[in-house]
Amino acid sequence: MTQTYENYIGGEWTGSESGETQDVTNPADESDIVSTVPVSSTAETDEAVAAAVDATDEWAGMPGPERGAILRETGEILKSQKDELAETLTREEGKPLGEAEGEVQRAIDIFYYYAEKARDFGGTVKQPSGGRAGLQTKKEPMGVAALITPWNYPIAIPAWKIAPALAVGNTVVIKPAMQAPTVGAKIIEALDEAGIPDGAINLVCGPGSEVGERLTTHDDVDVVSFTGSASVGEHVYDQATNNGKRAQAEMGGKNPTVVMPSADVDKAADIVGAGAFGGTGQACTATSRAIVHEDVYDEFLDAVVDYAESLEIGNGLERAGMGPHVSEDELAGSLEYIDIAQDEGATLETGGEELTGGEYDAGNFISPAVFSDVEPDMRIAQEEVFGPVLAVIPVSDFDEGVEVANDIDYGLSASVVTEKIEEENEFIERSESGVVKVNEKTTGLELHVPFGGLKRSSTNTYREQGDAGLEFFSYIKTVYRNS
């Protein structure tokens, strides 16, 4: 069933000025049109920002518990629609239905979490000196927040930006990715049904070159939050900060898992395989490098190849082990890196082929790829692929493993698989990444703790999620009272 969505501006659903629309198709079956959305420009963007400005006083002036009640009701509405939302997510993004269900639940939990945070969001009271009657801090919303979100987690990432921005009293304009905007639009529907004031939340569908560019430079936008590729994120951050805005950009990753001889090798292969091939490798935290001690290298390689070959590739609605790439362009990018890796001398142990025939002809399918004989300076070991492609790199000891893990332009997520507590502790201390895990896959995040990276993975200004999300969308006012 095809759904039709318009922009949501000032409490009204409205099309683009040009009337142009775009079909969103199922990457597992491109004849399946999931939704039709408007292709908007700067005109609609300006209208959305103006609506957000007009709603600022009403939304910021609403008591925190009342804002929290609207966020909680939004979570309840999303909960009642969980099965439908998960199916829509799978149809437009491609990930297996089980993964989609988990992502939808995460969005629900995020709204519940920030609903409670809105209740006690405030400041601190300090003991004054002299004859002052009081000394305190007061937290205030930044104003109008522009949110630019990606397609790979099309309900979770919008939720973890929208909820904290609204919780502290900002009004919002969000631009979802055009490859998968439908479940993001359903968040807006839920907020509308929950009774959010007109203009407090606004949705504009359109290309980043117009809508995103306008949001990052608009005089009435106060804060910009972006998730996407490093090249685009760096541009967004520079534009936003050059125009005097607070900004954050969470970007790419080239995430390692270091496997030591003390590890259970089969367990390590399961951890790496799940991190590398879950979501078709289309995650900024996906495991793209397995850095393995030479004593267990061959055993690990056999085990992770078995893992890759055991995955059933197919339509996510049928709960396949791995779904398709989100688009033909993304598939082409992975296939290009398969060729680059072989040209550089890496050995393709399994996978890396575009799948054709039968149901595969209708979608963007690839078999999960595992490479051996990978040198740390090869492009396959240095550049983000954003697909189910794993480079397995041998090292002679723990120190070399840590050095190879860190010798990269990115620093988002990293893990170590070991049974030695001293290696766990040292890896935690020495890892140059914003997220460090022990005996876990590099993917998967808790919503109540900060998330963000180092190096080119992040602008490293403010973190997302947890209390850090609230801090980004607010500023501190210090109040002196004299008697």
Side-chain angles (χ1 to χ4, degrees):
M1 176 180 173
T2 302
Q3 303 169 72
T4 300
Y5 280 95
E6 297 180 311
N7 296 316
Y8 184 79
I9 299 173
E12 300 288 340
W13 294 96
T14 178
S16 64
E17 189 176 84
S18 68
E20 184 181 354
T21 62
Q22 174 180 304
D23 289 338
V24 178
T25 58
N26 183 342
D29 178 3
E30 293 185 333
S31 67
D32 175 22
I33 300 174
V34 181
S35 66
T36 300
V37 297
V39 179
S40 306
S41 64
T42 56
E44 294 81 16
T45 309
D46 289 346
E47 291 173 10
V49 173
V53 170
D54 288 346
T56 296
D57 289 346
E58 179 182 4
W59 183 244
M62 184 181 291
E66 292 183 26
R67 292 197 300 267
I70 290 174
L71 296 182
R72 170 157 284 280
E73 179 61 18
T74 300
E76 292 289 342
I77 293 166
L78 295 176
K79 181 179 179 180
S80 72
Q81 301 171 352
K82 182 178 177 180
D83 291 345
E84 175 195 347
L85 290 168
E87 181 176 331
T88 299
L89 196 163
T90 292
R91 283 179 64 211
E92 72 173 348
E93 196 273 342
K95 67 183 58 174
L97 193 55
E99 293 182 21
E101 290 167 344
E103 183 179 339
V104 172
Q105 186 61 53
R106 181 179 184 82
I108 295 165
D109 292 342
I110 286 167
F111 275 97
Y112 287 161
Y113 174 80
Y114 283 110
E116 297 308 309
K117 286 293 182 178
R119 291 178 178 274
D120 60 8
F121 181 75
T124 58
V125 176
K126 299 293 185 180
Q127 185 67 36
S129 59
R132 290 193 179 93
L135 182 64
Q136 69 184 92
T137 63
K138 188 174 186 294
K139 293 183 179 179
E140 301 279 356
M142 294 293 293
V144 175
L147 314 179
I148 302 171
T149 59
W151 50 262
N152 59 330
Y153 288 92
I155 194 167
I157 292 179
W160 84 46
K161 293 180 188 292
I162 290 171
L166 292 176
V168 303
N170 297 279
T171 56
V172 169
V173 180
I174 181 168
K175 190 206 88 66
M178 292 297 279
Q179 295 96 324
T182 318
V183 286
K186 288 180 178 294
I187 292 179
I188 310 304
E189 281 186 328
L191 284 161
D192 179 64
E193 185 179 340
I196 195 167
D198 293 349
I201 183 73
N202 302 273
L203 170 78
V204 183
C205 294
S209 59
E210 290 196 52
V211 177
E213 194 88 358
R214 182 61 173 155
L215 286 173
T216 60
T217 58
H218 199 294
D219 288 342
D220 290 331
V221 168
D222 301 289
V223 58
V224 176
S225 180
F226 168 89
T227 299
S229 69
S231 57
V232 176
E234 288 163 354
H235 173 72
V236 166
Y237 181 78
D238 287 344
Q239 278 211 317
T241 54
N242 287 342
N243 282 273
K245 308 180 193 314
R246 178 180 291 185
Q248 67 179 179
E250 291 301 331
M251 300 175 284
K254 191 66 181 173
N255 311 292
T257 294
V258 176
V259 180
M260 298 307 296
S262 63
D264 179 316
V265 172
D266 288 335
K267 176 183 175 183
D270 288 345
I271 289 171
V272 170
F277 308 130
T280 319
Q282 299 174 132
C284 55
T285 55
T287 309
S288 58
R289 295 179 295 150
I291 300 167
V292 185
H293 193 285
E294 60 190 13
D295 289 353
V296 292
Y297 183 87
D298 290 339
E299 183 183 357
F300 173 87
L301 185 62
D302 288 343
V304 81
V305 166
D306 287 345
Y307 183 100
E309 292 178 346
S310 73
L311 291 174
E312 179 185 353
I313 316 304
N315 192 319
L317 292 175
E318 299 170 3
R319 297 185 183 272
M322 193 181 89
H325 267 299
V326 73
S327 68
E328 291 182 12
D329 286 346
E330 293 295 330
L331 171 62
S334 288
L335 293 171
E336 181 180 2
Y337 271 104
I338 301 297
D339 291 339
I340 289 169
Q342 293 178 97
D343 289 344
E344 289 189 323
T347 299
L348 180 60
E349 296 286 344
T350 190
E353 297 176 338
E354 181 177 3
L355 300 180
T356 58
E359 67 171 315
Y360 295 135
D361 285 341
N364 308 307
F365 294 95
I366 188 175
S367 54
V370 177
F371 280 97
S372 64
D373 301 320
V374 177
E375 298 294 333
D377 61 351
M378 288 181 176
R379 290 181 63 186
I380 197 72
Q382 290 287 322
E383 299 175 11
E384 186 177 37
V385 178
F386 225 66
V389 180
L390 176 69
V392 186
I393 304 169
V395 291
S396 59
D397 57 28
F398 177 80
D399 285 337
E400 185 183 2
V402 175
E403 290 169 4
V404 170
N406 288 337
D407 187 20
I408 199 79
D409 288 339
Y410 298 99
L412 185 53
S413 182
S415 69
V416 63
V417 186
T418 180
E419 295 301 318
K420 293 186 175 181
I421 188 67
E422 60 271 25
E423 290 177 344
E424 294 180 11
N425 291 335
E426 190 170 352
F427 188 79
I428 291 168
E429 291 299 316
R430 293 173 59 187
S431 177
E432 296 173 359
S433 59
V435 176
V436 184
K437 296 189 170 188
V438 176
N439 296 324
E440 286 192 33
K441 61 184 180 179
T442 56
T443 53
L445 305 167
E446 296 274 6
L447 63 88
H448 59 293
V449 290
F451 169 69
L454 305 175
K455 305 178 184 178
R456 287 196 75 198
S457 290
S458 172
T459 48
N460 202 24
T461 46
Y462 292 85
R463 293 299 192 229
E464 295 192 282
Q465 304 197 92
D467 288 334
L470 301 171
E471 292 168 6
F472 173 68
F473 288 109
S474 62
Y475 68 92
I476 297 175
K477 181 185 290 181
T478 303
V479 180
Y480 294 79
R481 296 181 184 271
N482 205 347
S483 57

